Amino acid sequence: QVQLTESGGASVQPGGSLRLSCVLSGYTIDYYFIGWFRQAPGKEREGVSCISPIDSSTYYADSVKGRFTISRNSDTDTAYLQMDDLKHEDPGVYYCAAATWSSDTAKHLYPDDFGDWGQGTQVMVSS
């Protein structure tokens, strides 16, 4: 299995920005959908964004579209989630995850489609 390690979580004020990083080890990042998910206290895990290993297409939850940007750097096997204009509904533990390149449903951001997960990094939005 591949290993995923997130970093970059912090506490920011509303309207602020963060960039989360996810380093994949064990195989090249170009063979996996990389997804970002988040889980707030008392809520189920929800998909935020993912990027395709086939054509680099990106997919976003409606709640973050226009504010968050997913990307990857193949040279460093690192995926990023740039989060701008953070809002009070954005806090939670953010996880990166990997799904096989052949997945037909990873773009829909269902957690069950992703087989490898990082341990998460916490994002807080505090006024």
Side-chain angles (χ1 to χ4, degrees):
Q1 66 183 35
V2 298
Q3 302 292 324
L4 299 147
T5 305
E6 308 96 332
S7 63
S11 179
V12 300
Q13 70 272 32
S17 296
L18 282 174
R19 188 177 74 163
L20 306 182
S21 299
C22 173
V23 178
L24 180 145
S25 61
Y27 214 71
T28 175
I29 199 171
D30 291 340
Y31 281 85
Y32 297 92
F33 283 87
I34 301 298
W36 286 97
F37 299 79
R38 66 187 181 190
Q39 188 166 22
K43 296 184 178 180
E44 66 183 35
R45 191 170 300 184
E46 64 175 342
V48 176
S49 181
C50 76
I51 184 167
S52 168
I54 301 171
D55 59 4
S56 296
S57 293
T58 57
Y59 307 90
Y60 298 92
D62 288 341
S63 59
V64 307
K65 196 170 298 181
R67 298 188 296 120
F68 291 9
T69 304
I70 190 171
S71 63
R72 68 168 178 263
N73 185 327
S74 297
D75 293 332
T76 59
D77 289 324
T78 304
Y80 302 95
L81 184 68
Q82 177 67 43
M83 304 185 294
D84 297 320
D85 192 24
L86 283 160
K87 302 181 182 297
H88 284 292
E89 59 263 36
D90 293 323
V93 178
Y94 280 68
Y95 301 88
C96 64
T100 178
W101 69 270
S102 62
S103 175
D104 293 324
T105 54
K107 64 184 180 181
H108 299 301
L109 300 172
Y110 299 135
D112 287 348
D113 288 334
F114 291 76
D116 296 287
W117 293 81
Q119 290 299 113
T121 185
Q122 187 167 354
V123 172
M124 298 294 297
V125 180
S126 302
S127 60

